Amino acid sequence: MHTKYCIVGGGQASAAAIEGIRAHDRDGGILLLTRENHRPYQRPMLTKDLLYGTATIERLPLHPDEWYAERHVDLRLRHEVIEVDAEGRHLWDERGEDIQFDELLLATGCRPRRLRADGAEAQGVHYFRDLEDYLDLEARMDRLQHLTLVGGGFTSIEMAAALRSRGKEITLVIGEDYPLHRLLPRDLGGPLLDYLREMGVETVSGDALLRITESNGLLHAETFLGNELETQLIIVDQGGEPLVALAEAAGLGIDDGIVVNEYGQSSQPHVWAAGDVAEFPYLALGQIMRVEGSDHAEAHGRAVGANMAGAKKAYDHLPLKWFRVGEMQFEGVGELWARLDTELVWIEPGKEGAVFYIREDVVRGVLLINVPERMEWARALIREAQPSTATERA
């Protein structure tokens, strides 16, 4: 078969790319292929609203079925693409179908990094990234009293707080002194760890799992420092790896992800990439970066879809990264690296404030704490790229 636009991947970037295409081309055929069992949905809700029980699964889809039909999108679930011929503009799925395209978007996202420990393949060791993982956890919830979360990333700390709010006993194992150590300065990361402890989360920091055994329905874990844990379920959060195998086999440029230009175009002119899997020019920072998160996936997907249809407009969005721990909501933009100089400024100590990430007196990133209304101000501050004092920043 032949299609004008082919999209591989079923996440937020793919759904947004449809919007971008249709804003410039109302009639060109669109084929979306995804290995998932569900049409594109709001992935952040899995560790936030759904896990807290403040939303139902009916709210999860980004669009109803009729939305795709109205936009003449051929949406195919449970389809695995196994090969791409970028120059010849063909691809093949696992069923052997040969699909010819004019423009191809790879929005394949990421997969969880695997745990390196003896016994890590035990049945009780799980990962949490997609809707199937959430459904599996919910099906077990009534039988679970104690869970162990491994890793200090966004997923593990959000899940620790959410599951604790549902009365579960939680042990959090962190390889560093405090969670999100690459993002948070110590004077914020330390109090965040204390906040989790105040919720009743048991924490093991500066340690990692060495060995896991399973017996009598329980998991027994030993750490490098000699700690011993007993739990019913282990959920691992060690970040994500971009799914670049298809692109690499097709000869596309690969670095930390699929390398694209400011329009989302890869090293092959008719193949594009968007969202978590793409390494793109972050124009406001003058850097090449790969960003994971729903805001970037949506904005980048829409921009790249538009460019596939001829818009020729550079992607200049400053993507938002956000996470929630109990009553604390964090929202950041820009270069959020704790290795930069940082200044923590409180509006109300311990409740509302901001972290400024600074290089040579220029603000490169801003992390807001419970002040979401200041996001556009933060974006403007980064775009200005002007030296400023702490007083001016506050």
Side-chain angles (χ1 to χ4, degrees):
M1 70 166 291
H2 172 268
T3 185
K4 186 171 184 179
Y5 305 101
C6 185
I7 300 171
V8 177
Q12 213 150 348
S14 298
I18 294 169
E19 298 177 16
I21 291 169
R22 283 292 176 250
H24 296 269
D25 183 348
R26 296 181 59 185
D27 302 313
I30 300 176
L31 171 65
L32 192 156
L33 304 171
T34 173
R35 63 171 63 176
E36 295 211 40
N37 297 317
H38 313 275
R39 62 184 185 270
Y41 56 87
Q42 303 174 69
R43 198 177 302 273
M45 285 182 64
L46 299 179
T47 57
K48 296 177 176 68
D49 308 73
L50 282 181
L51 210 55
Y52 275 100
T54 57
T56 63
I57 203 166
E58 287 73 25
R59 282 184 49 196
L60 201 59
L62 286 163
H63 304 291
D65 287 336
E66 55 267 26
W67 186 88
Y68 298 94
E70 290 166 358
R71 285 154 184 78
H72 308 293
V73 176
D74 183 358
L75 173 60
R76 300 187 186 180
L77 306 178
R78 296 176 290 279
H79 268 65
E80 182 87 19
V81 175
I82 60 172
E83 185 179 352
V84 172
D85 175 0
E87 291 186 4
R89 288 191 264 177
H90 284 258
L91 61 80
W92 292 265
D93 66 14
E94 85 286 2
R95 307 173 194 195
E97 184 174 6
D98 180 354
I99 299 168
Q100 184 179 5
F101 57 84
D102 293 346
E103 306 294 333
L104 171 65
L105 173 64
L106 296 176
T108 46
C110 293
R111 64 184 171 199
R113 286 192 174 90
R114 312 303 288 183
L115 176 65
R116 294 184 177 180
D118 291 342
E121 300 306 316
Q123 289 186 355
V125 178
H126 291 248
Y127 298 82
F128 194 97
R129 187 166 188 89
D130 57 32
L131 178 53
E132 301 301 335
D133 298 326
Y134 166 79
L135 293 173
D136 179 72
L137 179 60
E138 280 293 340
R140 300 167 181 263
M141 197 67 76
D142 289 344
R143 304 188 302 274
L144 292 173
Q145 187 54 39
H146 188 281
L147 300 88
T148 294
L149 300 169
V150 177
F154 298 110
T155 298
S156 59
I157 62 173
E158 285 192 327
M159 291 186 72
L163 291 168
R164 187 72 194 116
S165 75
R166 294 176 64 171
K168 305 303 178 183
E169 296 175 18
I170 304 296
T171 298
L172 176 64
V173 181
I174 305 169
E176 295 75 31
D177 291 341
Y178 58 86
L180 299 171
H181 74 288
R182 294 180 182 176
L183 169 69
L184 301 179
R186 182 174 293 275
D187 52 355
L188 184 56
L192 178 60
L193 186 61
D194 292 338
Y195 184 51
L196 287 165
R197 288 170 175 159
E198 289 169 6
M199 293 180 186
V201 175
E202 178 188 20
T203 62
V204 179
S205 56
D207 205 352
L209 298 192
L210 174 64
R211 187 175 296 106
I212 302 167
T213 57
E214 194 168 14
S215 63
N216 300 321
L218 292 175
L219 293 166
H220 306 270
E222 179 185 341
T223 74
F224 278 93
L225 297 182
N227 290 303
E228 294 187 359
L229 308 172
E230 188 172 85
T231 189
Q232 293 172 279
L233 192 72
I234 293 174
I235 299 177
V236 180
D237 169 29
Q238 297 187 147
E241 296 176 329
L243 286 163
V244 298
L246 269 179
E248 192 169 23
L252 305 185
I254 305 294
D255 187 28
D256 182 39
I258 303 172
V259 178
V260 299
N261 62 17
E262 65 270 32
Y263 305 105
Q265 195 172 37
S266 77
S267 55
Q268 286 287 345
H270 297 285
V271 181
W272 312 69
D276 294 1
V277 77
E279 189 177 38
F280 67 100
Y282 200 133
L283 298 180
L285 297 178
Q287 293 185 357
I288 303 298
M289 295 180 67
R290 186 176 67 84
V291 175
E292 296 180 31
S294 60
D295 181 64
H296 168 63
E298 181 178 353
H300 198 219
R302 185 177 292 107
V304 176
N307 289 330
M308 290 169 68
K312 296 182 180 180
K313 182 178 179 182
Y315 176 69
D316 61 358
H317 182 60
L318 272 76
L320 166 74
K321 293 183 75 71
W322 70 286
F323 61 101
R324 172 186 172 191
V325 183
E327 299 299 319
M328 304 292 288
Q329 183 159 308
F330 301 82
E331 298 167 301
V333 289
E335 194 174 358
L336 304 172
W337 296 111
R339 66 190 177 194
L340 299 180
D341 294 332
T342 58
E343 293 179 5
L344 173 58
V345 178
W346 289 110
I347 300 169
E348 183 178 351
K351 293 185 178 180
E352 296 183 356
V355 180
F356 299 94
Y357 298 78
I358 303 158
R359 181 185 291 128
E360 297 178 355
D361 292 326
V362 174
V363 175
R364 301 282 291 176
V366 180
L367 179 68
L368 301 174
I369 308 164
N370 286 338
V371 282
E373 67 276 5
R374 306 203 68 178
M375 180 48 63
E376 292 311 311
W377 166 81
R379 285 189 167 112
L381 189 62
I382 296 169
R383 290 188 190 279
E384 288 171 6
Q386 297 296 319
S388 61
T389 66
T391 302
E392 291 170 332
R393 287 190 284 273

